[in-house]
Amino acid sequence: MNLRDTINCDIKDAMKAKDAKKRDALRLLSSAFKQIEVDERRELSDDDVIKIILTQVKRRDDAATQYKAAHREDLMQIELDEIAYYKAYLPTQLSDEELTLAIKEIIAKTASSSIKDLGKVMGVATKELSGKADGKRVSECAKALLS
């Protein structure tokens, strides 16, 4: 069973359990999948689904930050709940040590030595670490190791 089918089954389970928050959050995710399929006229792979989930998590995180700044704790909590539902479908994130080790390997592979080579390192890192680490964390780690 692919990731999208798993999410659809979880929507049905949430409906049976009368869990409206989870049902609605997963329906939003499912509609994002359908939108991409209709726009691009193609089936989504698990990698595509993960990228869409990451995008949705980032959007919810940005919205939660804005709600917090506006002192709207109720709306912020809704966004944080949706993030928790979405993160269940993402691969486990790399720890700081694992990320540092992976970036060191990429630096060695690309024969990079200075901060000027950051673009080269980031190009390889984003492909290899997609879904396993946030781009911001990857960038910060690469900068620290190259400087």
Side-chain angles (χ1 to χ4, degrees):
M1 180 181 289
N2 65 23
L3 190 55
R4 181 145 184 222
D5 292 338
T6 304
I7 292 170
N8 287 334
C9 286
D10 288 349
I11 291 171
K12 291 175 190 172
D13 292 342
M15 290 167 62
K16 289 176 186 174
K18 299 190 187 317
D19 185 352
K21 285 183 179 182
K22 185 173 184 178
R23 178 200 66 207
D24 292 345
L26 295 180
R27 278 184 175 169
L28 286 171
L29 199 55
S30 181
S31 70
F33 301 152
K34 289 177 186 171
Q35 183 67 42
I36 297 293
E37 285 182 335
V38 168
D39 289 349
E40 297 180 10
R41 292 189 170 97
R42 65 181 177 96
E43 283 289 317
L44 296 177
S45 67
D46 277 353
D47 289 338
D48 296 328
V49 170
I50 288 172
K51 286 178 186 173
I52 293 168
I53 294 171
L54 286 170
T55 302
Q56 294 299 320
V57 166
K58 183 161 176 40
R59 285 182 184 170
R60 300 297 181 282
D61 190 42
D62 292 344
T65 303
Q66 291 176 358
Y67 287 139
K68 184 175 183 171
H71 304 292
R72 292 296 310 263
E73 305 299 323
D74 55 332
L75 296 175
M76 180 187 77
Q77 191 57 50
I78 292 170
E79 299 295 334
L80 294 176
D81 291 342
E82 288 181 4
I83 289 171
Y85 294 135
Y86 295 166
K87 283 191 174 182
Y89 302 104
L90 294 174
T92 55
Q93 297 290 301
L94 295 175
S95 68
D96 290 338
E97 296 82 27
E98 293 170 327
L99 179 62
T100 302
L101 184 62
I103 296 293
K104 283 181 181 178
E105 290 174 8
I106 292 170
I107 289 172
K109 257 195 268 184
T110 58
S112 301
S113 59
S114 71
I115 196 73
K116 292 179 183 176
D117 300 321
L118 182 64
K120 195 178 355 175
V121 171
M122 286 301 294
V124 175
T126 51
K127 289 178 185 166
E128 288 186 14
L129 303 175
S130 177
K132 297 177 185 173
D134 182 48
K136 185 176 179 181
R137 284 182 59 214
V138 172
S139 175
E140 289 171 355
C141 184
K143 285 177 186 174
L145 291 172
L146 288 172
S147 35

